[in-house]
Amino acid sequence: MKKALICSENSYFSAYTKHLFIPYGIEADCVNNVEKLNAYMRDNNVVSFIIFDTCLQSDLSVKAVQKVGCPLIIMNSLTSNVTFNKDFTPFLELFNSSLEPNKNVQELSPHTFFDVGKHCIWRREEYIPLATQEFKILYFLYLNIGKVVSSEELINYADLTSRSSLYVHINSLREKVEEKCGNPQIILTKFGKGYQISKHRAEITCLDQREQTKNKTRGDKEKII
């Protein structure tokens, strides 16, 4: 739950603003004097942002707010003609979007990311650009993650001319996304069917090996008994 702090002596302003935050999943605490504000800060409460109404202004309260490393909205609820939905909604949408993961960057493995927006791969913080056909192939595979995509579908989607052309681009992609091209863990070949992206296949394999070890140990114990 995200939390905001409203610092205001204007009870109507505090109540209405608190109500406005509900659809955004934001819980709001309200303080209406300097003593409560300082007590709130001393308790080390964690807030996502602060709305500071200047009708509660004093040097002491400003200093208290300055100690908090979070976004601060300063306004005067008594003198300004504030349209709440007009002024707060863009901020709230921006705030919420900043907390969400970037949907344009897709994780292929713990160290490899597919940046759809920039048409590139990020591998261990290295920027690796993708050619147009490479991007189309990888994007279509990612749209069907976990499913086998036939060679014909990839050829048509990427505007390629033949299977040999697809094979060249697949190899080029593997050089950019795989740790070891000879042992691909992300772009997998399904012989006679097509290709598939397997997310975190290395981790799954590791878990399978641990499970096999547990089963073997369990079997050895049963034999002993």
Side-chain angles (χ1 to χ4, degrees):
M1 173 69 76
K2 300 178 285 289
K3 181 176 285 190
L5 175 64
I6 303 171
C7 308
S8 178
E9 291 178 343
N10 186 337
S11 59
Y12 170 78
F13 172 80
S14 297
Y16 191 86
T17 306
K18 188 173 183 177
H19 172 75
L20 180 69
F21 289 163
I22 293 174
Y24 293 88
I26 298 174
E27 177 186 334
D29 289 336
C30 303
V31 294
N32 59 8
N33 59 53
V34 174
E35 289 73 23
K36 290 181 179 179
L37 174 59
N38 288 325
Y40 192 92
M41 296 302 165
R42 283 196 301 271
D43 291 340
N44 294 318
N45 288 288
V46 177
V47 294
S48 302
F49 62 93
I50 295 174
I51 295 176
F52 186 70
D53 187 356
T54 54
C55 72
L56 178 67
Q57 189 172 13
S58 74
D59 290 340
L60 185 60
S61 58
V62 171
K63 289 178 181 178
V65 170
Q66 286 175 340
K67 295 178 182 178
V68 180
C70 67
L72 175 65
I73 300 175
I74 301 176
M75 60 191 305
N76 191 322
S77 64
L78 299 179
T79 60
S80 59
N81 295 320
V82 177
T83 303
F84 289 98
N85 288 331
K86 178 182 177 183
D87 290 278
F88 278 121
T89 299
F91 167 76
L92 293 173
E93 290 177 348
L94 178 63
F95 174 74
N96 275 347
S97 66
S98 70
L99 298 180
E100 295 175 354
N102 189 343
K103 295 180 180 179
N104 282 333
V105 180
Q106 311 293 348
E107 184 178 358
L108 300 177
S109 77
H111 303 291
T112 306
F113 298 85
F114 176 30
D115 193 327
V116 177
K118 294 182 179 179
H119 288 212
C120 72
I121 295 295
W122 294 97
R123 192 174 73 188
R124 299 186 183 276
E125 300 183 0
E126 178 187 1
Y127 168 81
I128 306 174
L130 294 173
T132 300
Q133 285 77 15
E134 292 172 351
F135 171 80
K136 286 184 176 181
I137 292 169
L138 187 58
Y139 184 64
F140 194 63
L141 286 171
Y142 195 86
L143 288 179
N144 295 276
I145 191 166
K147 300 178 182 178
V148 177
V149 180
S150 70
S151 298
E152 289 73 19
E153 289 177 298
L154 289 171
I155 290 170
N156 290 333
Y157 187 83
D159 296 322
L160 302 176
T161 57
S162 63
R163 285 176 177 264
S164 59
S165 177
L166 174 62
Y167 180 73
V168 170
H169 287 299
I170 290 289
N171 281 346
S172 177
L173 268 175
R174 281 176 172 157
E175 289 178 359
K176 296 180 178 183
V177 304
E178 302 284 0
E179 295 289 339
K180 297 179 181 179
C181 296
N183 182 28
Q185 301 293 317
I186 297 173
I187 301 176
L188 308 179
T189 300
K190 299 297 180 180
F191 294 101
K193 296 181 179 180
Y195 298 91
Q196 175 185 5
I197 281 186
S198 181
K199 196 172 185 179
H200 301 335
R201 186 171 182 269
E203 292 181 350
I204 294 171
T205 302
C206 181
L207 291 174
D208 287 343
Q209 289 174 348
R210 290 177 186 173
E211 190 63 30
Q212 290 172 6
T213 301
K214 289 181 181 177
N215 291 337
K216 184 178 182 302
T217 303
R218 190 181 301 115
D220 291 341
K221 287 181 178 178
E222 289 175 354
K223 288 179 182 179
I224 293 173
I225 293 173

